[in-house]
Amino acid sequence: GFAVFGQGHRHRRMLQCFADTTSALAARITRDKHTTTALLAAAFVPVPVQRLIHTKSDLAAAVHDIGFPLVVKGRNSDHGISVTTNIRSNEELQRGIERVRQQNDEILIEKHIAGDDYRITVVDGKVAAAARRIPPQVVGDGKRTIRELVALENTRRRNAPGHLRVTRPLALDDEAAAMLSRVDMNADSVPADGQVVRLRGAANISQGGLAIDVTDDVHPDIRKVVERAARVVGSQYVSTALGGSAANESSLPSFQKFAKSSGRSDRVSR
């Protein structure tokens, strides 16, 4: 929503993630994942190999050249709505493409990079916050079904104190069913005690993920890379997603407090 920080001539206004100092060009760039990736690559920021898909021949060439596992996403979609990760077959690829088409967006295909998911926010050229994002998941106890574990976790989230209450609930939808089918499970399966069961490929907070504060653990080299990425796109407030060893894209983040904190609770990242 709309927010005003400060008073008088020094006040600043923000609408969602856009500040009154954000240029129209920076806003357009950061909403376009294909342009952002190209700009970052030109500035020697490590990014995954990516292709924009218009035709069937484009798709066939991308699959041949990049190779599985793949990621499919919309060029302009936000909040992980159209993202399908770790695609390992043509059948999964077609399902991912259909998700993008449902958003009436252009199709991007890129190499899937294994590793933890991080989001680092830069404000006025300096790293302000960093989060390790945990994808939507449940942990088995050897007794309850996945459906029961999801209900239990959602109850915990609803009853959690403070900023944990804003965390989105877990969903058992078509995407969750597809994730479960990869490991020969369904909503009525009973995971083993301690078994982690993922319900989403993407770790976005808006999709039910959690964020853990790792700001104090960011390596100086990583700080330099993401601060350079922010300068490339020209925005005062920008967030870079990191997976494995590559920057996925730089996008304008929403305000979201960490679900867990290593000491400070005033940082924001997404």
Side-chain angles (χ1 to χ4, degrees):
F2 181 78
V4 178
F5 298 94
Q7 298 178 0
H9 73 283
R10 294 182 180 273
H11 82 279
R12 285 289 177 261
R13 292 170 293 175
M14 293 195 72
L15 178 61
Q16 296 178 336
C17 56
F18 297 98
D20 54 12
T21 54
T22 303
S23 73
L25 180 59
R28 289 289 298 271
I29 289 173
T30 53
R31 292 298 296 271
D32 183 336
K33 294 177 174 63
H34 188 55
T35 299
T36 299
T37 298
L39 289 173
L40 293 179
F44 301 102
V45 176
V47 292
V49 179
Q50 186 187 87
R51 297 284 180 83
L52 181 61
I53 306 302
H54 293 295
T55 65
K56 289 183 178 179
S57 60
D58 289 342
L59 177 61
V63 173
H64 178 270
D65 295 343
I66 301 175
F68 293 111
L70 296 168
V71 173
V72 173
K73 62 178 66 175
R75 181 172 184 170
N76 299 290
S77 297
D78 293 323
H79 307 306
I81 294 173
S82 63
V83 177
T84 304
T85 65
N86 199 22
I87 295 171
R88 295 182 175 274
S89 69
N90 286 316
E91 182 180 357
E92 292 179 358
L93 179 59
Q94 290 302 320
R95 285 201 297 265
I97 289 173
E98 182 57 32
R99 288 187 64 198
V100 176
R101 286 174 174 164
Q102 289 174 0
Q103 301 299 318
N104 295 316
D105 203 353
E106 293 182 87
I107 299 165
L108 289 176
I109 288 182
E110 62 187 34
K111 187 67 175 179
H112 174 82
I113 299 176
D116 290 335
D117 187 315
Y118 295 90
R119 178 72 70 168
I120 303 179
T121 298
V122 177
V123 179
D124 286 336
K126 297 295 181 182
V127 170
R132 181 165 67 90
R133 302 193 300 182
I134 309 300
Q137 61 188 32
V138 293
V139 180
D141 60 5
K143 300 176 182 179
R144 295 181 176 87
T145 65
I146 293 172
R147 192 185 308 277
E148 291 170 329
L149 292 169
V150 166
L152 189 67
E153 172 63 14
N154 284 339
T155 298
R156 185 194 69 79
R157 293 184 178 201
R158 285 195 301 272
N159 297 332
H163 62 264
L164 278 175
R165 206 170 296 144
V166 307
T167 304
R168 303 298 190 274
L170 300 179
L172 284 174
D173 53 13
D174 290 343
E175 184 179 355
M179 288 293 296
L180 293 174
S181 69
R182 290 182 177 183
V183 291
D184 297 322
M185 303 181 79
N186 58 54
D188 296 314
S189 300
V190 179
D193 187 23
Q195 181 180 359
V196 176
V197 181
R198 291 184 63 162
L199 302 175
R200 284 284 192 282
N204 297 70
I205 305 303
S206 58
Q207 298 295 308
L210 298 174
I212 298 176
D213 185 356
V214 295
T215 306
D216 296 332
D217 302 324
V218 179
H219 192 277
D221 290 346
I222 298 297
R223 287 178 179 268
K224 291 178 182 178
V225 169
V226 296
E227 287 169 0
R228 185 165 80 245
R231 291 194 297 271
V232 169
V233 299
S235 178
Q236 289 180 299
Y237 177 46
V238 66
S239 186
T240 300
L242 299 176
S245 60
N248 186 270
E249 78 267 344
S250 186
S251 60
L252 287 169
S254 300
F255 286 117
Q256 175 66 54
K257 283 191 175 182
F258 295 124
K260 300 179 182 178
S261 175
S262 61
R264 294 184 57 178
S265 60
D266 56 338
R267 295 169 177 149
V268 288
S269 191
R270 202 185 168 285

